[in-house]
Amino acid sequence: MKSNKIRFLFAVFSLSSFLAHAQNSQATDNWETSPGIIGTFILILIVLFVAVIIFLAKINGFIDKMKRKKLDKKRIEFSDELTDLDDGEIDTILENRKKALKYKLKGDELGNQNKAVDEKGLVKRVRKDPSNSFFDEKKKTPLSIETPKELKEIVTYYLAAATFWLVFGTLVGEYLGFKFIWPELDSISWLSFGRLRPVHTNTVFWGWSSLAMIGLGYFVIARTSNNLIHSYKKAKIAWVLINLTVLLGNIALMTGINNGGGEYREYIWPIMLLFAIGLIITFINFYKTVATRKISEIYISNWFILAALIWTIVLSIIGYLPFYQDGLGETIIQGYYMHQGVGMWFMTFTLGLVYYYLPATLNKPIYSYSLGVLAFWTQMLFYTMIGTHHFVFSPLPWWLQTVAIVFSVGMFIPVIAGSTNFLMTMRGSWNHISKSYVLPFFLVGVIFYFVGSSQGSFQAFRFTNYIWHFTDFNVAHSHMTMYGIISFLLWACIYTIVPKLNGKEPPQLMVGAHFWLAFIGLFAYMISLMVGGTLKGMSWMDGNPFIESVILMQPYWVWRAVGGTLMFISHLVFAYNFYIMVKKEPKNRNLKAGSIKGESVNV
């Protein structure tokens, strides 16, 4: 069975490789029939379909809730009727009730060949799927994990700082979105687009996503290793260093001090050195915690998390080595750095978190450990060589561009393996979509993992690259991945663990507002820039003046601002929800569970 899965994935890779080589960059006739265009359109429909399913599930849950309220009202009315009855009528009702309570099953109702008949109405629901558990997750999960105080503080500090940088970074992004519509909005140098844009990207990268991942990772490392964190002091030092990196880096960018045109590495090297030191300290902390674990196995989450830290330490060093920063070599390193940062840091680390938090949320094991191992090693193999697909038709060697395209297509293997693993883990638990917003966050994140990553592979084809690259379509793709995948999955993990650590749950209404504002905002943002970016690319291909492509983008930039505004409002709601979850400890804390150290791990 496992070999059949592997053969299927490699068949997909082979077919996609053929399609990639079959692209003709010069043929612009019937562009809409290109496999990359068709594939992207289908992927967008998948996202829309999932949104409709979640919406209908929520509506159905609301209807069920109203029905329950109606039944409760009838029960109250019945109680009121009893108060109006005389003693004789009440005695008759009580006698009939007493007879019903004395009824007992004989024990052979289902043990013979007779047809099963529920004459007394004792059976509430019949399930024909024995593998479908009745209770996967309680609607309101009580505090059930006793965690060392120091670990709770570390997780809370990292997530609190991450939340602050999310609000600040997207506030800057919101302002930039307005500047697309009103370019004359200001004339202040430190508020210019060229300075604020890297402030936005670096803040949400190194401030929001990185701090949130590390904070959530500390809990996973301790939990899956059945061990205490090696050094809480080192965790605090790394927290200070990473926050200093973002603070000093943003100040430098706004005053015009930067590293040049390298995207996502605009911070100058003395400042980025603080981040690298923070990563090294974090890796040592994680590694020594796992190395001294109290169980024999290394859970797969730790594979992804430790690999992400190793790759990013190497990446941050290579990206800033001075002898790589000249000529076309700098371009190759830029592609390597930019894509490795997304794929080997954010994506790899976040997937490691999902391998723990998703099964923990559903109270069931991951569907397939083998698929997880396959996804891990193919991620390590294929993601390392795809950065050059950002520079197709550039002066870089043609063979290097081809290698990047082929390896981009190879990414279908880890993406399909990982998506299948997560979705099959959710199988049998879809009813929770109507009860809680944790599963919808996970579901949207996993769907975007498949859709966004697959769309990136389609976009790497030479023809689609010819149309879309260096247009606003690429901005849509980056938000589809970094926001649709990373942010949604991080939010899912945060909503999973923080209430358990602090005993405070946010209002479901506010979590729902966060979900729908973020999702609808992202969808509006993404679709508007995809359509506008396609038209811009076609305008360039037709040889029209560049200014025409700028003018035609105006209405799509309006929708970009609308979508971005909804996303920013959702972040304010999330910040409020996070405050509710961590503002105070419950007064009556009566737990009998053991501490993490010496406690068995049930993943």
Side-chain angles (χ1 to χ4, degrees), residues 25-167:
S25 62
Q26 303 303 319
T28 58
D29 296 334
N30 300 321
W31 62 272
E32 67 277 2
T33 61
S34 167
I37 302 291
I38 296 174
T40 298
F41 180 73
I42 293 173
L43 292 172
I44 293 172
L45 290 180
I46 291 174
V47 175
L48 187 59
F49 175 75
V50 170
V52 172
I53 293 297
I54 295 175
F55 179 75
L56 292 178
K58 289 296 179 182
I59 292 296
N60 186 59
F62 176 75
I63 293 174
D64 289 342
K65 184 177 180 180
M66 296 303 294
K67 287 181 179 179
R68 287 194 297 271
K69 286 185 176 180
K70 190 174 182 181
L71 290 174
D72 291 340
K73 184 178 180 181
K74 286 184 178 180
R75 292 192 186 99
I76 293 173
E77 291 175 352
F78 178 70
S79 299
D80 292 339
E81 289 179 7
L82 287 178
T83 58
D84 296 332
L85 297 175
D86 57 35
D87 293 342
E89 292 173 322
I90 293 176
D91 289 341
T92 302
I93 292 174
L94 291 177
E95 286 296 329
N96 292 334
R97 178 60 178 162
K98 193 178 295 183
K99 291 179 181 179
L101 291 174
K102 290 181 178 180
Y103 176 79
K104 294 183 179 179
L105 294 172
K106 297 178 181 179
D108 61 349
E109 285 78 4
L110 298 178
N112 52 46
Q113 300 299 321
N114 298 330
K115 183 178 180 181
V117 178
D118 183 25
E119 296 178 349
K120 298 295 183 179
L122 300 176
V123 178
K124 182 179 180 181
R125 181 182 301 170
V126 177
R127 297 242 180 165
K128 297 182 179 180
D129 182 8
S131 64
N132 187 5
S133 56
F134 284 92
F135 303 101
D136 294 318
E137 177 194 20
K138 293 182 179 179
K139 184 177 180 182
K140 286 186 176 295
T141 308
L143 182 60
S144 59
I145 302 173
E146 184 174 347
T147 306
K149 180 181 177 182
E150 297 88 348
L151 180 57
K152 285 178 56 178
E153 290 179 351
I154 290 300
V155 173
T156 303
Y157 287 170
Y158 273 87
L159 295 182
T163 302
F164 170 79
W165 290 122
L166 172 67
V167 174

Side-chain angles (χ1 to χ4, degrees), residues 536 539-540 543-554 557:
K536 177 186 280 190
S539 175
W540 293 351
N544 297 326
F546 179 79
I547 190 62
E548 289 191 14
S549 67
V550 177
I551 296 172
L552 70 84
M553 281 300 301
Q554 185 176 5
W557 284 335

Side-chain angles (χ1 to χ4, degrees), residues 512-573:
H514 172 203
F515 175 83
W516 286 112
L517 286 168
F519 182 83
I520 295 173
L522 174 61
F523 200 78
Y525 188 106
M526 183 179 76
I527 296 301
S528 61
L529 293 187
M530 281 183 167
V531 174
T534 302
L535 295 177
K536 177 186 280 190
M538 298 297 291
S539 175
W540 293 351
M541 292 166 65
D542 291 339
N544 297 326
F546 179 79
I547 190 62
E548 289 191 14
S549 67
V550 177
I551 296 172
L552 70 84
M553 281 300 301
Q554 185 176 5
Y556 303 102
W557 284 335
V558 171
W559 279 105
R560 169 196 176 124
V562 171
T565 300
L566 293 177
M567 293 156 69
F568 177 67
I569 295 173
S570 78
H571 303 159
L572 297 178
V573 176

Side-chain angles (χ1 to χ4, degrees), residues 6 9-10 298 300 302-304 306-307 310-311 344 348 351 355 369-385 407 410-411 413-415 417-418 449:
I6 295 174
L9 292 173
F10 274 102
I298 299 179
I300 195 167
N302 299 339
W303 291 33
F304 280 88
L306 292 177
I310 293 172
W311 273 108
M344 303 305 287
T348 302
L351 291 176
Y355 272 101
Y369 206 89
S370 299
L371 275 179
V373 173
L374 173 66
F376 175 81
W377 287 112
T378 50
Q379 174 101 354
M380 297 301 106
L381 171 64
F382 290 114
Y383 223 118
T384 55
M385 293 295 291
F407 274 62
M411 280 302 299
I413 297 176
V415 169
Y449 172 55

Side-chain angles (χ1 to χ4, degrees), residues 391-537:
F391 303 104
V392 175
F393 304 115
S394 70
L396 300 181
W398 190 257
W399 67 266
L400 186 59
Q401 300 176 38
T402 302
V403 167
I405 295 171
V406 172
F407 274 62
S408 298
V409 175
M411 280 302 299
F412 277 115
I413 297 176
V415 169
I416 294 176
S419 301
T420 301
N421 216 2
F422 297 145
L423 291 175
M424 293 302 288
T425 302
M426 296 181 196
R427 183 182 60 172
S429 302
W430 302 115
N431 57 318
H432 293 303
I433 292 178
S434 62
K435 298 179 182 178
S436 169
Y437 272 102
V438 174
L439 187 59
F441 273 107
F442 273 119
L443 179 59
V444 168
V446 170
I447 292 300
F448 268 114
Y449 172 55
F450 172 74
V451 170
S453 300
S454 299
Q455 192 277 317
S457 296
F458 285 134
Q459 191 172 339
F461 292 176
R462 283 195 170 93
F463 180 73
T464 45
N465 203 297
Y466 190 48
I467 297 177
W468 287 334
H469 214 69
F470 302 118
T471 71
D472 294 70
F473 194 102
N474 223 39
V475 181
H477 169 73
S478 64
H479 282 76
M480 186 193 303
T481 51
M482 279 302 299
Y483 194 89
I485 304 173
I486 306 302
S487 289
F488 269 84
L489 291 178
L490 290 178
W491 286 326
C493 296
I494 290 171
Y495 283 128
T496 296
I497 195 59
V498 175
K500 293 180 180 179
L501 292 180
N502 297 287
K504 294 286 292 183
E505 290 190 1
Q508 279 291 300
L509 178 63
M510 298 303 291
V511 181
H514 172 203
F515 175 83
W516 286 112
L517 286 168
F519 182 83
I520 295 173
L522 174 61
F523 200 78
Y525 188 106
M526 183 179 76
I527 296 301
S528 61
L529 293 187
M530 281 183 167
V531 174
T534 302
L535 295 177
K536 177 186 280 190

Side-chain angles (χ1 to χ4, degrees), residues 196-236:
L196 285 185
R197 198 269 178 175
V199 169
H200 164 66
T201 55
N202 284 277
T203 299
V204 295
F205 271 35
W206 317 124
W208 151 242
S209 300
S210 297
L211 285 169
M213 292 188 313
I214 294 173
L216 293 166
Y218 267 108
F219 184 83
V220 174
I221 289 291
R223 193 77 180 154
T224 57
S225 299
N226 210 1
N227 198 6
L228 294 174
I229 294 299
H230 170 68
S231 172
Y232 294 111
K233 182 178 180 181
K234 289 181 179 178
K236 293 178 181 178

